[in-house]
Short mmCIF file of all heavy atoms in Angstrom, two decimals:
data_model
loop_
_atom_site.label_atom_id
_atom_site.label_comp_id
_atom_site.label_asym_id
_atom_site.label_seq_id
_atom_site.Cartn_x
_atom_site.Cartn_y
_atom_site.Cartn_z
N SER A 67 -11.01 -21.01 -32.75
CA SER A 67 -10.40 -22.26 -32.27
C SER A 67 -10.21 -23.23 -33.43
O SER A 67 -9.17 -23.91 -33.52
CB SER A 67 -11.28 -22.89 -31.19
OG SER A 67 -11.33 -22.08 -30.03
N ARG A 68 -11.19 -23.29 -34.34
CA ARG A 68 -11.06 -24.16 -35.51
C ARG A 68 -9.95 -23.68 -36.42
O ARG A 68 -9.19 -24.48 -36.98
CB ARG A 68 -12.39 -24.20 -36.28
CG ARG A 68 -13.49 -25.00 -35.60
CD ARG A 68 -14.61 -25.35 -36.59
NE ARG A 68 -15.16 -24.16 -37.21
CZ ARG A 68 -16.19 -23.46 -36.71
NH1 ARG A 68 -16.75 -23.85 -35.56
NH2 ARG A 68 -16.65 -22.40 -37.34
N PHE A 69 -9.82 -22.35 -36.55
CA PHE A 69 -8.76 -21.79 -37.39
C PHE A 69 -7.38 -22.12 -36.82
O PHE A 69 -6.46 -22.51 -37.56
CB PHE A 69 -8.92 -20.27 -37.49
CG PHE A 69 -7.82 -19.58 -38.24
CD1 PHE A 69 -7.84 -19.52 -39.63
CD2 PHE A 69 -6.75 -19.00 -37.57
CE1 PHE A 69 -6.81 -18.89 -40.33
CE2 PHE A 69 -5.72 -18.37 -38.25
CZ PHE A 69 -5.75 -18.32 -39.64
N ILE A 70 -7.23 -22.00 -35.51
CA ILE A 70 -5.93 -22.26 -34.88
C ILE A 70 -5.55 -23.74 -34.99
O ILE A 70 -4.41 -24.07 -35.32
CB ILE A 70 -5.96 -21.82 -33.39
CG1 ILE A 70 -6.09 -20.30 -33.30
CG2 ILE A 70 -4.71 -22.30 -32.65
CD1 ILE A 70 -6.29 -19.78 -31.89
N SER A 71 -6.50 -24.61 -34.72
CA SER A 71 -6.19 -26.04 -34.76
C SER A 71 -6.13 -26.58 -36.19
O SER A 71 -5.30 -27.44 -36.49
CB SER A 71 -7.25 -26.82 -33.96
OG SER A 71 -8.55 -26.58 -34.48
N GLY A 72 -7.01 -26.05 -37.08
CA GLY A 72 -7.04 -26.56 -38.44
C GLY A 72 -6.02 -25.94 -39.36
O GLY A 72 -5.26 -26.66 -40.03
N LYS A 73 -5.94 -24.62 -39.39
CA LYS A 73 -5.04 -23.93 -40.31
C LYS A 73 -3.61 -23.82 -39.77
O LYS A 73 -2.64 -24.06 -40.48
CB LYS A 73 -5.58 -22.52 -40.60
CG LYS A 73 -4.81 -21.73 -41.64
CD LYS A 73 -5.01 -22.30 -43.02
CE LYS A 73 -4.24 -21.49 -44.07
NZ LYS A 73 -4.80 -20.13 -44.23
N LEU A 74 -3.49 -23.47 -38.51
CA LEU A 74 -2.15 -23.28 -37.94
C LEU A 74 -1.58 -24.55 -37.32
O LEU A 74 -0.39 -24.57 -36.95
CB LEU A 74 -2.21 -22.17 -36.86
CG LEU A 74 -2.70 -20.80 -37.33
CD1 LEU A 74 -2.65 -19.81 -36.17
CD2 LEU A 74 -1.90 -20.29 -38.51
N LYS A 75 -2.41 -25.58 -37.16
CA LYS A 75 -1.95 -26.86 -36.60
C LYS A 75 -1.44 -26.71 -35.17
O LYS A 75 -0.46 -27.34 -34.75
CB LYS A 75 -0.87 -27.50 -37.47
CG LYS A 75 -1.23 -27.64 -38.94
CD LYS A 75 -2.47 -28.49 -39.15
CE LYS A 75 -2.79 -28.63 -40.64
NZ LYS A 75 -4.07 -29.39 -40.85
N LEU A 76 -2.10 -25.84 -34.42
CA LEU A 76 -1.74 -25.62 -33.03
C LEU A 76 -2.89 -26.06 -32.13
O LEU A 76 -4.04 -26.10 -32.56
CB LEU A 76 -1.42 -24.14 -32.77
CG LEU A 76 -0.26 -23.55 -33.58
CD1 LEU A 76 -0.22 -22.03 -33.38
CD2 LEU A 76 1.06 -24.18 -33.18
N SER A 77 -2.58 -26.36 -30.88
CA SER A 77 -3.63 -26.76 -29.94
C SER A 77 -4.06 -25.58 -29.09
O SER A 77 -3.24 -24.73 -28.72
CB SER A 77 -3.13 -27.89 -29.04
OG SER A 77 -1.99 -27.48 -28.30
N VAL A 78 -5.34 -25.51 -28.78
CA VAL A 78 -5.90 -24.45 -27.94
C VAL A 78 -6.08 -24.99 -26.53
O VAL A 78 -6.67 -26.07 -26.35
CB VAL A 78 -7.26 -23.96 -28.50
CG1 VAL A 78 -7.86 -22.90 -27.58
CG2 VAL A 78 -7.09 -23.41 -29.91
N ASN A 79 -5.57 -24.29 -25.54
CA ASN A 79 -5.73 -24.69 -24.14
C ASN A 79 -7.16 -24.40 -23.71
O ASN A 79 -7.51 -23.27 -23.39
CB ASN A 79 -4.73 -23.94 -23.26
CG ASN A 79 -4.68 -24.50 -21.85
OD1 ASN A 79 -5.69 -24.96 -21.31
ND2 ASN A 79 -3.51 -24.46 -21.25
N GLN A 80 -8.00 -25.43 -23.71
CA GLN A 80 -9.41 -25.25 -23.40
C GLN A 80 -9.66 -24.86 -21.96
O GLN A 80 -10.64 -24.20 -21.64
CB GLN A 80 -10.18 -26.54 -23.73
CG GLN A 80 -10.13 -26.94 -25.20
CD GLN A 80 -10.80 -25.92 -26.11
OE1 GLN A 80 -11.63 -25.11 -25.67
NE2 GLN A 80 -10.43 -25.93 -27.39
N GLU A 81 -8.74 -25.26 -21.06
CA GLU A 81 -8.92 -24.92 -19.64
C GLU A 81 -8.73 -23.43 -19.39
O GLU A 81 -9.41 -22.85 -18.55
CB GLU A 81 -7.92 -25.72 -18.80
CG GLU A 81 -8.19 -27.22 -18.78
CD GLU A 81 -7.22 -27.96 -17.88
OE1 GLU A 81 -6.35 -27.29 -17.27
OE2 GLU A 81 -7.35 -29.20 -17.76
N LYS A 82 -7.80 -22.82 -20.12
CA LYS A 82 -7.53 -21.40 -19.93
C LYS A 82 -8.38 -20.51 -20.84
O LYS A 82 -8.48 -19.30 -20.60
CB LYS A 82 -6.04 -21.11 -20.18
CG LYS A 82 -5.12 -21.74 -19.15
CD LYS A 82 -3.68 -21.32 -19.40
CE LYS A 82 -2.74 -21.89 -18.35
NZ LYS A 82 -1.34 -21.50 -18.59
N SER A 83 -8.97 -21.08 -21.87
CA SER A 83 -9.78 -20.29 -22.80
C SER A 83 -11.22 -20.21 -22.30
O SER A 83 -11.78 -21.21 -21.85
CB SER A 83 -9.76 -20.94 -24.19
OG SER A 83 -8.43 -21.03 -24.67
#
Side-chain angles (χ1 to χ4, degrees):
S67 294
R68 287 197 303 271
F69 175 83
I70 292 173
S71 58
K73 185 70 179 292
L74 302 182
K75 308 301 181 184
L76 300 171
S77 60
V78 177
N79 190 327
Q80 298 296 339
E81 293 183 0
K82 293 184 178 180
S83 301

